[in-house]
Amino acid sequence: MFLCRNLSLSQFAPPKPFLSHMRLSINQTFQDFSTSLRFQTNVSSPNTELFGRVTHWIRRSKSLSELLAAIAQEIGAVLSCDRVKIYQFNPDETGTVVAEWICEQRLPSLLGLTFPANDIPPGARELFARTGARSIVNVAERRIGQTGIDSTAPDEIRYRPLNACHAEYLMAMGIQSSLVVPILQEGKLWGLFVIHHAEARSFSDAQVSALQMVVDLLTVAIAQYHLIEQARAKADRESTLRRISCLLHSLSTIELQAALETAVSAFAGSGGRLWVNATSLAVEHSPRNLKLPSACVRLFQCGSQPVAPRDERIETAEFVLLEEDRAWQDKFQSEQDSVWAIADLYQEPALQKFYPAFRSLKIRGVLIFPLWYRRELLGYLTIFRDEIETEILWAGQISSDERQLYPRQSFKAWCESRRGQIQPWTAGDLELGCAIAHQFSSAIQQYETHQHVQKLNASLEIQVQERTARLQKATEQQHVLFSVVTNMRKSLQVEQICATATEELRRSLNVDRVCVYQFDLDRQYNTGQVIAENMVSGLSSVLGTRIEDYCFGERFANQYRHGRVSSISDVEALVIEPCYLAILERLAIRAHLIAPILRGDELWGLLCVHQCDRPRNWTEHEIQFVKQVAIQLTIGLEQAELLLQTQHQAQQIEATLHSLKHTQAQLIQTEKMSSLGRLVAGVAHEINNPVSFIHGNLNYLNHYVIDMLRLLDAYRAAYPEPRSEVIDLIESIDFEFVRQDLPKILASMQVGTERIREIVLSLRNFSRLDQAKMKPVDIHEGIESTLLILQHRLKPNGGDFSIEVIKEYAELPAVECYAGQLNQVFMNLLSNAIDALETVENPTIRIRTKQLHDDRVLISIADNGCGISAQTQLRIFDPFFTTKPIGKGTGMGLAISHEVVVRDHQGSLNCHSEPGQGTEFWIEIPIRQSISA
């Protein structure tokens, strides 16, 4: 409650955090109330379960109607009654059944029906509200019990005879016994919690206590739901204020029409008007609206508006500007008169003259707010609201359920429709309207102030501009010159220097065209071309135009070389050489300034300033300015030429250094491979001799062993009973095992020596020292030798996967190549593929060979690794480029491979890869080289 009362409409806090806090407050309230109730009452176990379920429904229900329906169902199930209904009183003292539970359709439904106010006498309502009395009726016994009769024993039930009218009323509804508990809110009767039985039954004290406990909980829950509804309504009003504030304050212009439409929508109105008297919103007088008091009045409208009747002698302007009527002036005399709330305009005597204008409309409610700002009336905000139609379904409506058809006239079914009903303005409407009116007032006044300040600023701006124009004109050209010099030094490119100078110069002098003309120095200044131009739009471009003027080279070139600056104010007013006049007419020039651009002592070109639309008298200051720009162009061109020379030398040095580094790396790599080849060949040769000796003698050794074993068998056959010493020796050396294992050892030695010979042969094939020259070789043999050398990297190491090598060899003829160099290429590509498969599951290398046409072969080496990005593929064949960590790669493997394939074998080496799809290298070389080394 504290939070709700302290929430002001001027605070624009978001509603969600507030409602969340309110929900937490509700849960805490119920927890405290539940603890207190358990402490104060001795609740039995069934009632404890009921209490828990009701509390659960209170906490989880999202709406009051859902909560009431759930509690009615819980009570009906616990008390085993025929009907549970919750009856809520309306402001006009009638009542409506807002929740109901019926057991097995024993009684007809009353949900949604409205009962007249006289169904519950005023005395009974007063007793319910004053004492919270509970009422127990037994129609069969014709008695009624109530609590609260005796103030000394408020919980004691006092019985008295049942009123005959009351009994007849209950029997007409099919009720034999009932229990009624009042629901109070802030000391007022909110409604009744009613239990009905179709048969006579009594209610125990435990049942009454349980119901009272539930009603107490429900009372707190209703209060909290009302709090939430109030908070939600206030949050909605704040949201409306935020939207209106954004329209009035947050934009560069004041959106009065949109703000008016938003305000009308907030009140669910049918129309609205905003009458503003502000100088900043001034409009010109209209001949059709001469009654406007001044041009400062503006009227904004939306929705339904009063219409002047054609057959009445009433001026139209009075209805266009209702706010100009005397009634408004009489009503709002000071700032204390903040609102004029009219529930029914036809009951307002002050508006009687305007009744005809509203007859054709459904407007009944009018809400008028004056827009005061510091005792100044800025206008009026008016909201219109239409009349409404209501329909009430009274109790006794005829139903198909025959149990409700009783001969009781007061229960006869009827539906009452009321038309032309007014909607009273609530306190919340007035509070929201005053806040909106304040927003409009402050926004209009701020807009007025802003416009006034803008006018003062504009006037001051003009004065300042007039006073500083001369200074700006004097300093602008110096700034332009400085800008030209700065930009030229930034670029030092001839095109950029000329473009910057022409642009800045044309903008500073405000001329039609500025261009740079460059001479053909080998033609004696007789020809040249326009290389840079900046001009106004709509003028024909002369960029790239070539000009031939043989008069210039003969008569004027020497003068310009010595610094002459030519100026012509009006071409048509001077006598000019025909050849020169033809050029001026060709370029549509009326006045010009020309200054020389030098390169050393030579005349490099001309800086030309053209005025094409009219004559122009060039001032001395302008002539000197153009001359200074030309001098800066001269300096800039010299610096640009020097820069080009320096860059060219630097490029040559860089290219030479790059070539030296590449040659050095290639020599080192070649020497390394050559040394490795010699080492491999030497090792292979040294291993081959002893291995060959061992392998050659193994056959003889095998025969000798077989012969000796035959001899021993013969001895055993001849002497079946040897001496004891011999028997002991046979047992000690385990002769039978030796006899069986010795042939196996010889076989293993045979396999091992053959494997060593294969490795030696592969090392010799890989080194190819005997094939340093180009000669036909078997490509497959070189690939197999390379694979054999890399066999230790293809096998699993620790937890790594074994790399599967898939060979798809085609029948290839002998290929003419440098076998050692080509094996080096295979080694580089296969090593890179193995590196790329270190972190891949089920790694695979696929090697394919294929003959293309009749003169070329294709070798493809592909892996299923992580792939190579397109950006990296552009550089993989660059020397010293590597993606491997420092120390694991030199960046020369693929570069040397590319040179071997492309330069030494007139072939091609290409890479095809996508990230995540693996990598494939294609080697394509001719079968026969055109020039054999």
Side-chain angles (χ1 to χ4, degrees):
M1 180 67 73
F2 174 78
L3 290 174
C4 186
R5 287 179 178 174
N6 284 272
L7 183 62
S8 172
L9 281 176
S10 61
Q11 299 171 339
F12 299 127
K16 289 185 178 179
F18 176 80
L19 294 178
S20 299
H21 187 77
M22 182 63 71
R23 176 65 67 180
L24 293 175
S25 176
I26 290 174
N27 292 335
Q28 185 62 40
T29 301
F30 280 124
Q31 183 175 357
D32 296 342
F33 183 80
S34 302
T35 303
S36 175
L37 193 60
R38 285 171 176 163
F39 180 78
Q40 296 176 9
T41 61
N42 184 16
V43 183
S44 62
S45 178
N47 290 346
T48 302
E49 295 179 0
L50 172 63
F51 178 83
R53 291 197 301 273
V54 171
T55 304
H56 172 72
W57 279 110
I58 291 175
R59 290 178 174 174
R60 66 172 291 184
S61 298
K62 297 181 179 179
S63 64
L64 182 58
S65 59
E66 179 185 358
L67 172 63
L68 296 178
I71 291 180
Q73 181 178 355
E74 292 289 348
I75 291 298
V78 170
L79 299 185
S80 300
C81 53
D82 295 335
R83 178 197 287 135
V84 177
K85 74 173 183 178
I86 299 177
Y87 182 89
Q88 180 181 359
F89 288 101
N90 299 319
D92 59 355
E93 296 187 350
T94 62
T96 304
V97 179
V98 295
E100 182 184 54
W101 177 86
I102 299 175
C103 179
E104 299 177 356
Q105 299 299 318
R106 294 175 184 173
L107 291 173
S109 175
L110 302 176
L111 183 63
L113 299 185
T114 301
F115 290 80
N118 56 13
D119 277 17
I120 301 178
R125 289 199 296 270
E126 193 274 336
L127 181 63
F128 281 135
R130 179 170 51 84
T131 66
R134 301 186 290 265
S135 175
I136 302 175
V137 177
N138 191 320
V139 178
E141 297 178 359
R142 289 296 191 274
R143 68 172 185 167
I144 179 172
Q146 290 180 321
T147 62
I149 303 299
D150 186 357
S151 59
T152 60
D155 294 331
E156 182 181 354
I157 302 176
R158 298 289 181 89
Y159 287 92
R160 59 180 174 82
L162 179 65
N163 183 280
C165 181
H166 191 177
E168 183 180 356
Y169 181 88
L170 293 176
M171 287 188 296
M173 297 178 66
I175 300 170
Q176 290 297 317
S177 59
S178 68
L179 170 61
V180 180
V181 178
I183 303 173
L184 304 177
Q185 286 294 311
E186 297 181 357
K188 297 181 181 180
L189 185 60
W190 180 90
L192 301 174
F193 202 111
V194 184
I195 305 298
H196 284 165
H197 283 285
E199 298 176 355
R201 287 185 57 179
S202 60
F203 297 94
S204 65
D205 292 342
Q207 290 176 330
V208 175
S209 299
L211 183 59
Q212 183 64 57
M213 175 191 66
V214 172
V215 170
D216 291 341
L217 281 176
L218 183 59
T219 300
V220 177
I222 292 173
Q224 296 292 353
Y225 274 107
H226 286 170
L227 266 179
I228 292 178
E229 290 300 322
Q230 294 173 7
R232 184 175 291 112
K234 182 155 289 191
D236 292 340
R237 292 197 295 270
E238 290 177 355
S239 176
T240 299
L241 278 177
R242 283 195 298 272
R243 293 197 302 272
I244 293 176
S245 178
C246 290
L247 292 171
L248 296 177
H249 299 284
S250 300
L251 302 176
S252 58
T253 59
I254 183 170
E255 298 290 338
L256 293 176
Q257 181 65 37
L260 173 63
E261 294 172 359
T262 304
V264 172
S265 176
F267 290 97
S270 59
R273 297 162 64 92
L274 178 64
W275 182 90
V276 181
N277 185 6
T279 306
S280 60
L281 302 171
V283 295
E284 297 182 358
H285 278 293
S286 171
R288 298 173 298 171
N289 200 6
L290 299 178
K291 286 199 171 186
L292 288 174
S294 71
C296 301
V297 172
R298 288 288 299 276
L299 179 65
F300 299 88
Q301 306 177 73
C302 74
S304 300
Q305 297 294 322
V307 180
R310 298 180 181 178
D311 56 347
E312 297 287 342
R313 297 181 179 180
I314 303 176
E315 296 290 342
T316 304
E318 294 182 359
F319 296 97
V320 174
L321 294 177
L322 300 175
E323 294 79 1
E324 293 292 330
D325 188 74
R326 182 73 181 180
W328 271 255
Q329 301 176 19
D330 295 339
K331 181 65 178 178
F332 302 106
Q333 299 289 335
S334 64
E335 291 190 48
Q336 282 70 30
D337 303 320
S338 60
V339 62
W340 188 4
I342 304 171
D344 187 355
L345 68 90
Y346 296 109
Q347 301 298 322
E348 181 62 47
L351 301 181
Q352 185 175 3
K353 61 185 295 185
F354 299 109
Y355 289 172
F358 289 92
R359 291 296 184 189
S360 61
L361 305 173
K362 294 184 178 181
I363 296 175
R364 293 290 293 275
V366 182
L367 196 58
I368 305 173
F369 299 95
L371 306 182
W372 291 101
Y373 190 86
R374 296 183 179 179
R375 299 182 182 180
E376 180 182 359
L377 185 60
L378 304 179
Y380 301 99
L381 172 63
T382 305
I383 305 296
F384 298 135
R385 180 180 282 177
D386 288 349
E387 62 186 24
I388 59 174
E389 297 181 5
T390 60
E391 182 178 283
I392 301 177
L393 187 64
W394 294 98
Q397 180 180 9
I398 297 176
S399 173
S400 59
D401 193 335
E402 296 182 356
R403 287 171 295 179
Q404 195 172 341
L405 298 179
Y406 291 97
R408 177 84 164 96
Q409 294 298 324
S410 62
F411 282 93
K412 183 177 180 180
W414 62 286
C415 179
E416 181 184 12
S417 296
R418 299 177 182 178
R419 297 187 177 182
Q421 298 297 304
I422 63 172
Q423 302 182 68
W425 301 103
T426 65
D429 293 335
L430 302 184
E431 183 183 2
L432 175 61
C434 290
I436 292 176
H438 176 72
Q439 292 292 330
F440 275 100
S441 302
S442 60
I444 293 171
Q445 181 60 33
Q446 290 175 9
Y447 187 73
E448 280 274 270
T449 304
H450 175 72
Q451 294 300 316
H452 182 65
V453 172
Q454 287 291 95
K455 290 180 179 179
L456 292 177
N457 288 340
S459 177
L460 182 61
E461 183 90 22
I462 294 174
Q463 297 178 20
V464 172
Q465 289 177 356
E466 291 176 350
R467 292 180 180 180
T468 58
R470 293 183 296 272
L471 292 175
Q472 287 181 350
K473 188 174 182 181
T475 58
E476 181 182 0
Q477 293 177 349
Q478 293 301 323
H479 286 297
V480 170
L481 186 62
F482 177 76
S483 176
V484 170
V485 173
T486 302
N487 291 330
M488 286 192 304
R489 290 179 178 175
K490 287 181 180 178
S491 174
L492 292 181
Q493 300 291 330
V494 175
E495 296 80 4
Q496 185 63 36
I497 291 173
C498 294
T500 301
T502 55
E503 179 183 0
E504 296 290 345
L505 187 57
R506 190 200 65 78
R507 184 173 57 83
S508 176
L509 296 180
N510 192 23
V511 294
D512 294 335
R513 181 194 295 125
V514 176
C515 60
V516 176
Y517 177 80
Q518 182 181 4
F519 290 107
D520 297 330
L521 299 182
D522 56 347
R523 299 293 299 275
Q524 299 298 318
Y525 308 109
N526 294 322
T527 62
Q529 184 179 7
V530 178
I531 63 170
E533 176 190 39
N534 190 276
M535 62 180 184
V536 296
S537 59
L539 200 64
S540 299
S541 175
V542 299
L543 184 63
T545 302
R546 296 195 62 82
I547 299 176
E548 295 183 1
D549 184 5
Y550 295 94
C551 299
F552 182 88
E554 297 176 359
R555 301 182 55 182
F556 304 108
N558 190 54
Q559 298 177 18
Y560 280 102
R561 190 167 56 245
H562 289 85
R564 174 189 175 182
V565 177
S566 173
S567 65
I568 298 179
S569 300
D570 189 356
V571 172
E572 297 179 356
L574 297 178
V575 178
I576 303 175
E577 294 290 337
C579 58
Y580 188 40
L581 182 60
I583 296 174
L584 296 177
E585 292 177 348
R586 176 184 174 188
L587 302 180
I589 299 172
R590 288 293 302 275
H592 73 64
L593 268 176
I594 298 178
I597 303 174
L598 305 176
R599 187 174 66 179
D601 296 333
E602 295 294 330
L603 181 60
W604 182 86
L606 301 174
L607 177 60
C608 305
V609 181
H610 297 162
Q611 191 72 42
C612 301
D613 60 341
R614 56 183 171 79
R616 176 164 177 168
N617 293 320
W618 306 101
T619 65
E620 182 62 27
H621 184 75
E622 291 173 338
I623 295 174
Q624 292 299 322
F625 178 60
V626 172
K627 185 176 181 179
Q628 290 176 3
V629 174
I631 292 173
Q632 294 301 324
L633 273 175
T634 298
I635 297 173
L637 291 174
E638 291 177 350
Q639 292 177 346
E641 185 176 356
L642 180 61
L643 177 63
L644 288 176
Q645 294 177 0
T646 304
Q647 290 177 344
H648 181 66
Q649 293 176 357
Q651 290 174 357
Q652 289 181 337
I653 294 174
E654 184 179 359
T656 302
L657 179 61
H658 181 77
S659 178
L660 289 174
K661 289 176 65 178
H662 179 64
T663 303
Q664 180 185 16
Q666 188 171 5
L667 288 174
I668 292 173
Q669 185 70 12
T670 302
E671 182 62 26
K672 286 170 60 178
M673 293 303 298
S674 177
S675 301
L676 178 62
R678 288 194 295 270
L679 175 62
V680 168
V683 170
H685 178 72
E686 292 300 327
I687 294 176
N688 186 54
N689 288 336
V691 169
S692 298
F693 174 78
I694 295 172
H695 184 74
N697 289 321
L698 281 176
N699 289 329
Y700 299 106
L701 180 60
N702 189 39
H703 292 307
Y704 295 160
V705 169
I706 292 173
D707 291 342
M708 292 179 65
L709 291 175
R710 290 173 57 194
L711 177 61
L712 288 174
D713 290 338
Y715 267 102
R716 293 181 69 176
Y719 301 98
E721 295 182 0
R723 297 174 59 181
S724 59
E725 293 87 352
V726 176
I727 294 174
D728 293 340
L729 181 59
I730 289 173
E731 291 178 353
S732 64
I733 65 176
D734 196 357
F735 177 74
E736 293 300 329
F737 172 78
V738 172
R739 177 189 179 94
Q740 295 176 3
D741 193 51
L742 185 58
K744 296 179 182 179
I745 292 176
L746 292 176
S748 299
M749 294 175 64
Q750 184 75 20
V751 172
T753 56
E754 289 179 356
R755 178 60 177 164
I756 294 174
R757 292 188 57 177
E758 290 177 357
I759 292 174
V760 170
L761 181 60
S762 296
L763 291 174
R764 294 184 61 189
N765 288 336
F766 178 78
S767 63
R768 296 286 187 176
L769 288 182
D770 56 340
Q771 298 180 16
K773 295 182 179 181
M774 183 173 290
K775 60 175 60 178
V777 298
D778 184 0
I779 294 296
H780 297 155
E781 183 179 316
I783 295 175
E784 291 297 328
S785 299
T786 307
L787 288 174
L788 184 60
I789 295 174
L790 294 173
Q791 188 66 31
H792 67 286
R793 297 193 62 190
L794 298 174
K795 295 179 179 180
N797 183 14
D800 297 338
F801 292 93
S802 175
I803 299 176
E804 180 184 3
V805 179
I806 301 175
K807 305 171 187 177
E808 299 177 0
Y809 293 162
E811 294 185 5
L812 300 180
V815 178
E816 196 174 70
C817 63
Y818 295 103
Q821 294 183 8
L822 205 57
N823 287 343
Q824 180 183 351
V825 173
F826 297 153
M827 175 68 73
N828 291 335
L829 296 182
L830 289 171
S831 297
N832 288 342
I834 294 172
D835 292 338
L837 296 174
E838 289 182 351
T839 60
V840 176
E841 296 185 4
N842 302 319
T844 303
I845 296 178
R846 185 181 300 272
I847 305 175
R848 296 187 299 112
T849 60
K850 181 180 180 181
Q851 182 173 353
L852 302 177
H853 308 295
D854 296 329
D855 59 343
R856 302 182 76 82
V857 294
L858 174 69
I859 303 103
S860 168
I861 299 177
D863 62 70
N864 62 341
C866 58
I868 305 173
S869 65
Q871 185 177 3
T872 303
Q873 291 182 48
L874 300 175
R875 300 187 58 193
I876 56 175
F877 297 120
D878 293 347
F880 308 106
F881 176 77
T882 180
T883 58
K884 298 178 181 179
I886 297 176
K888 293 195 67 176
T890 63
M892 291 300 298
L894 289 178
I896 293 176
S897 299
H898 190 268
E899 278 202 14
V900 168
V901 174
V902 176
R903 188 190 66 183
D904 297 341
H905 292 84
Q906 288 77 49
S908 62
L909 176 59
N910 298 311
C911 174
H912 302 272
S913 178
E914 292 183 8
Q917 302 297 322
T919 304
E920 183 176 9
F921 283 91
W922 290 358
I923 304 172
E924 185 178 336
I925 57 176
I927 298 175
R928 297 287 181 266
Q929 296 292 331
S930 57
I931 301 177
S932 299

